Amino acid sequence: MKNKQKNFAQSRSLRNISTHYCPGCGHGIAHRLIAETIDELGIREKVIAVAPVGCAVIAYDYWDFDCSEAAHGRAMAVATAIKRVRPQNIVFTYQGDGDLAAIGTNETIHAANRGENISVVFINNAIYGMTGGQMAPTTLLGQKTATTLSGRDARLQGHPLKISEMLAVLPGVKFVERVSLHSPQEVMKTKKAVHQIFKNQIDNLGFSLVEILSPCPTYWGISPKGALEWIRDVMSKEFPLGRIK
Amino acid sequence: MTGNEAIAEGAIQAGCDFYAGYPITPQNELTAYMAKEMPRKTRVFIQAESEIAAINMVFGAAAAGARAMTSSSSPGISLKQEGISYLAGAQLPAVIVNIMRGGPGLGNIMPSQADYFQATRGGGHGDYHCPVLAPSSVQEAYDLMFLSFELADKYRNPVMILGDGMLGQMMEPLCVRRSAFGVRRYKKPWALTGCRGRRPNVVKSFFIREGDLETFNLLLQKKYHTIRREEQRWEGLFLEDARVVVVAYGTMARIAKSAVVNLRKAGRRVGLIRPVTLWPFPVEAFENSVKLKAQSAKRPRYLVLEMSYGQMVEDVKLTLNGRATIEFLGRSGGGVPGEREIEKQILKLLS
Ligand SMILES: Cc1ncc(C[n+]2csc(CCOP(=O)(O)OP(=O)(O)O)c2C)c(N)n1
Ligand code: SF4
C-alpha cells in the first residue's frame, strides 16, 4: 500500500514509500495515525520510537524520526531507559500482542507499575503475524491458528489475555483505552486516543497505553473486508472498546 | 572496600550514566552501592524486574548515548545473553560485570571461573565477541572500569568484566584515582537524541536485505581483528629464565603468584603469565615466552590453573599449538587449588 491516500495528506513523519504489509493489514493505518499525531503535536524532532519484533519490525523504515530496535518483548525496558536518560524526549513503543503480552509481559507490567512516563501503542491482532499465524495470548476461544488447529480451547490454552484491563488496575498507569480500526469512525477514535497518549507524556502524566484492535486478514484467513466485520461482530465482543482507565 | 564496591566506584568515576541490575549473590554489594551513589550524582539507577529487563534497559540507555552498565552473577549473565548479542549486533557500547559463582544450574554462591567459555566465545547467538577483562585485585577491579568504558566507546561494543565471588567479597585498601588516560567522552552521532537538525538515526541489528548481514559481519570481524591486534593485556613475572610458566587469571592468579614467588625464593626457575584480557587472549605473552625458551634446549612447560575443569587451557593450547608441554590443574564448584598443591605440581614439572 502507498501511504498517499485520497483523504489524507502526506505527513512529514511518514516516508512516502510502499510498506511490506499485506493488503488490509492494520499496521499501516496505525503507523499513519501515529505519524499524523506527531506532526500535529510538533514533536517529530523530539520523538524516539521503539519498534517491536513482529510484522512491524521495520517500522523505522516507514517513520521519519529516531527509532530503536528492541529484542522481542523488551521494548518497554528499552523505552524505560531511553526516557530516564533523556526525559526531554518523547518516547513511545509500538508492540504486537505476542511482543507485549506473551514474551514481554514482565517488562510490560513492570514498566507500567513503575509509572514510566512513556506512550505505548499496542496492536492486538489476535495472532502472531510475523511467524506465520500461531496462537497469540489474545487469540479468541475457538479461533483457528497454526498452533490451535481445532480452535483455541480454554481448557488447554486458557482464555484470551486482557492485558489492558490488567494494567489498568496498577496505580502507576495513567491512561488505558481500547480502540479499533474496523470503520472510519473507529479510526477517528483511534486517532484521538493516540493523540491522548502522546499528550499525556508531554504533560508528564505517566504511563499511557492505547490498545488497537487491528486486522490480520492473512492469518485470519478472511478477506480484508471480512476482517473488519469480524472485529466489529466478534473480536470487539471479547475485547470491548472504550476507555478502560 | 570490597571488590564489588570498587567496581561500582570505578564505574562512577569512569562516567557511568546509567545502571540497571537485579539482585544476585555474590555481587549484591555492587548493586547496593550503585543504588546509593548514582542518584546522588543525578545519574540513573534502576532495580530491574529481571536480568533480561536490565540488559535491555542497558541497550536503551546505550542507544540514547549514555555510558551504561549492568552487573550480575552466572545464572543472571546467562539470562542476559540475548541482550548482549543485540548490543554487539547494534554496535552499542556497554559494560557487563559477571561476578562468577559455581554452576551449572543454580550451583552455589562460591567463587568460580566456570563462565570463561561463555564470556570469551561470545556467549549469545551470532558471530561476535566482547572484550573480557579479568581483574585480580580490588584496585585492579577499580582501575579496569575506566578501561572497560573506554574500550566500549572506542569500539562501539559491549565489554565484559569477569571476576569471581572471592574478588567481589574481598576487602582491600583502594586508591580512588583518575585513570592514566582520563575519561574520554566520545562523540556519538549515531545515538538517539531526537532528529533535530539531522536525518533520523536508527539503532538496530536487523539486516533483512540479502547480502547486507554478511557485509555487516565482515565489518564486525574487521573490528575484532583490530581489537585482537591492539588490546592484548597481561602481567608477566620472571619469564626471562623460567623453565615452567604458570598461567592463571583473576583470583586464581593471586594464589598462583604466591606459589611462584615462594618457589623463586627457593631458587626455582618458575614464572607466571596472568592474562588481563581473556578476549583478546594475550597470545603475544606466549609468543614472547616461547621465544625466550627456544634458546634453552628443554621443551617449554606450562601449567594452567583455573577454578574450573579446564576452559582457558584450551586457549593456551590453541596459542602454543603443540610447541610446548601443557599441564592443567583445576577445581570447580567452589573448590580452589591450594598453594601447596600448586607448588607440588610445579616442582614435578621442574624435575
Ligand atoms: C526470542 C525470540 N523468540 C521468538 C521470536 C520469533 N517471533 C518473531 S515475531 C513473533 C511474534 C509476533 O507476533 P506479534 O507480537 O503479535 O506481532 P505481529 O507479527 O502479529 O504484528 C515471534 C514469536 C523472536 N524473534 N525472538
Ligand atoms: S501477516 Fe497479518 S499482521 Fe502481518 S503484515 Fe500481514 S496482515 Fe499484517
Side-chain angles (χ1 to χ4, degrees):
Chain A
M1 280 204 301
K2 270 275 187 198
N3 285 325
K4 241 182 195 135
Q5 292 172 6
K6 260 190 245 135
N7 45 347
F8 291 102
Q10 177 63 34
S11 29
R12 175 69 186 88
S13 294
L14 205 58
R15 295 197 174 118
N16 189 18
I17 53 172
S18 301
T19 70
H20 71 289
Y21 299 118
C22 312
C25 175
H27 277 303
I29 304 168
H31 287 10
R32 158 172 290 277
L33 296 178
I34 292 167
E36 284 175 4
T37 301
I38 286 170
D39 286 345
E40 284 159 20
L41 290 167
I43 53 176
R44 190 183 78 90
E45 296 184 330
K46 287 171 107 183
V47 161
I48 302 175
V50 183
V53 176
C55 278
V57 63
I58 52 168
Y60 43 71
D61 282 356
Y62 308 135
W63 287 322
D64 202 20
F65 39 73
D66 277 11
C67 192
S68 180
E69 165 187 274
H72 189 28
R74 318 302 170 202
M76 285 193 217
V78 172
T80 290
I82 296 175
K83 185 69 183 180
R84 295 281 191 111
V85 167
R86 301 193 59 83
Q88 68 275 35
N89 287 88
I90 302 299
V91 182
F92 79 95
T93 72
Y94 182 100
Q95 301 173 261
D97 38 54
D99 197 82
L100 182 143
I103 193 168
T105 316
N106 200 25
E107 284 74 12
T108 299
I109 288 175
H110 288 278
N113 196 46
R114 286 190 302 267
E116 298 293 344
N117 188 28
I118 58 174
S119 312
V120 174
V121 178
F122 167 30
I123 303 295
N124 179 359
N125 60 10
I127 200 115
Y128 283 12
M130 191 191 205
T131 41
Q134 298 87 351
M135 181 186 73
T138 49
T139 292
L140 301 200
L141 290 182
Q143 187 183 336
K144 290 190 172 127
T145 71
T147 48
T148 53
L149 300 177
S150 42
R152 183 174 187 162
D153 178 345
R155 287 169 310 168
L156 295 175
Q157 290 101 15
H159 290 263
L161 189 70
K162 297 207 174 68
I163 191 103
S164 291
E165 278 84 348
M166 288 166 64
L167 295 175
V169 304
L170 302 175
V173 172
K174 178 64 193 170
F175 176 96
V176 184
E177 184 167 342
R178 185 180 290 119
V179 292
S180 166
L181 298 176
H182 71 259
S183 73
Q185 294 86 319
E186 297 303 327
V187 170
M188 290 321 289
K189 282 192 207 160
T190 301
K191 172 75 182 292
K192 258 186 81 187
V194 169
H195 198 280
Q196 194 61 49
I197 61 168
F198 280 97
K199 188 71 179 35
N200 287 352
Q201 184 177 161
I202 293 167
D203 296 341
N204 278 313
L205 294 180
F207 190 92
S208 300
L209 176 145
V210 58
E211 172 179 342
I212 304 176
L213 305 190
S214 175
C216 174
T218 303
Y219 290 114
W220 293 355
I222 36 182
S223 68
K225 183 158 170 290
L228 298 181
E229 288 161 6
W230 191 75
I231 296 181
R232 185 192 62 206
D233 300 336
V234 183
M235 192 178 175
S236 62
K237 299 290 179 293
E238 180 67 34
F239 293 104
L241 303 181
R243 183 82 176 262
I244 300 171
K245 186 173 190 178
Chain B
M1 226 183 225
T2 65
N4 282 330
E5 291 164 333
I7 288 171
E9 182 58 33
I12 289 170
Q13 294 294 335
C16 176
D17 305 301
F18 181 96
Y19 174 93
Y22 185 84
I24 183 169
T25 309
Q27 63 82 57
N28 289 320
E29 299 78 12
L30 203 169
T31 313
Y33 195 94
M34 291 307 239
K36 185 160 137 243
E37 297 298 332
M38 291 289 274
R40 274 197 201 168
K41 300 190 160 58
T42 61
R43 304 186 199 176
V44 184
F45 168 87
I46 302 180
Q47 177 171 335
E49 57 272 30
S50 71
E51 288 85 353
I52 297 176
I55 193 72
N56 286 286
M57 287 175 184
V58 164
F59 184 100
R67 281 201 154 176
M69 166 181 162
T70 183
S71 65
S72 188
S73 178
S74 308
I77 296 292
S78 293
L79 275 180
K80 289 184 196 290
Q81 291 302 334
E82 185 200 22
I84 299 172
S85 169
Y86 270 72
L87 286 165
Q91 298 207 78
L92 288 177
V95 175
I96 300 116
V97 178
N98 181 3
I99 301 298
M100 292 179 283
R101 56 187 258 176
L106 192 54
N108 64 19
I109 58 169
M110 302 292 280
S112 162
Q113 293 183 326
D115 302 349
Y116 180 95
F117 282 152
Q118 187 196 50
T120 57
R121 267 58 179 169
H125 60 287
D127 220 339
Y128 75 94
H129 284 284
C130 302
V132 181
L133 308 177
S136 83
S137 70
V138 170
Q139 184 69 52
E140 191 181 26
Y142 169 89
D143 291 339
L144 284 180
M145 293 315 291
F146 292 89
L147 181 64
S148 62
F149 280 104
E150 166 71 17
L151 292 178
D153 276 347
K154 183 172 171 189
Y155 294 106
R156 286 185 60 187
N157 206 77
V159 171
M160 185 170 271
I161 297 280
L162 198 65
D164 62 72
M166 204 167 326
L167 178 79
Q169 306 289 326
M170 176 193 307
M171 289 266 243
E172 279 181 338
L174 176 72
C175 166
V176 177
R177 59 193 180 202
R178 309 294 307 192
S179 81
F181 49 82
V183 173
R184 255 197 296 268
R185 281 289 182 174
Y186 282 76
K187 285 215 172 63
K188 299 180 175 177
W190 46 264
L192 305 177
T193 56
C195 62
R196 175 160 300 148
R198 59 162 170 78
R199 290 163 57 87
N201 284 339
V202 174
V203 168
K204 64 172 180 112
S205 64
F206 189 50
F207 297 87
I208 187 95
R209 266 201 7 232
E210 205 185 319
D212 283 3
L213 185 57
E214 188 166 10
T215 307
F216 174 70
N217 265 284
L218 287 171
L219 191 122
L220 287 184
Q221 289 305 317
K222 230 173 118 183
K223 171 161 90 177
Y224 300 148
H225 183 77
T226 310
I227 298 175
R228 278 197 187 95
R229 197 183 58 224
E230 303 288 336
E231 307 296 349
Q232 295 178 27
R233 286 172 171 81
W234 70 90
E235 181 192 350
L237 200 63
F238 310 127
L239 293 176
E240 300 72 26
D241 63 342
R243 284 180 47 216
V244 170
V245 175
V246 177
V247 188
Y249 71 95
T251 292
M252 193 66 252
R254 296 169 70 101
I255 304 165
K257 198 177 198 170
S258 66
V260 167
V261 169
N262 280 346
L263 291 178
R264 267 284 160 178
K265 279 190 195 134
R268 304 296 187 148
R269 284 165 60 187
V270 53
L272 174 77
I273 292 175
R274 175 175 75 84
V276 174
T277 52
L278 302 180
W279 194 90
F281 195 66
V283 292
E284 283 172 38
F286 291 85
E287 293 306 331
N288 295 346
S289 86
V290 167
K291 247 183 257 151
L292 283 169
K293 274 196 249 161
Q295 294 150 11
S296 80
K298 273 214 159 153
R299 186 174 161 83
R301 290 180 173 186
Y302 291 79
L303 173 63
V304 182
L305 303 172
E306 292 181 71
M307 281 142 61
S308 81
Y309 284 114
Q311 301 193 14
M312 180 177 69
V313 66
E314 291 195 2
D315 279 333
V316 177
K317 284 183 180 164
L318 283 169
T319 302
L320 292 171
N321 199 15
R323 289 175 291 171
T325 303
I326 297 159
E327 295 289 330
F328 174 77
L329 177 64
R331 288 175 65 187
S332 198
V336 183
E339 219 172 294
R340 294 290 153 272
E341 204 180 347
I342 295 169
E343 286 176 13
K344 231 172 78 189
Q345 194 77 15
I346 296 172
L347 289 173
K348 220 169 84 192
L349 279 171
L350 277 170
S351 61

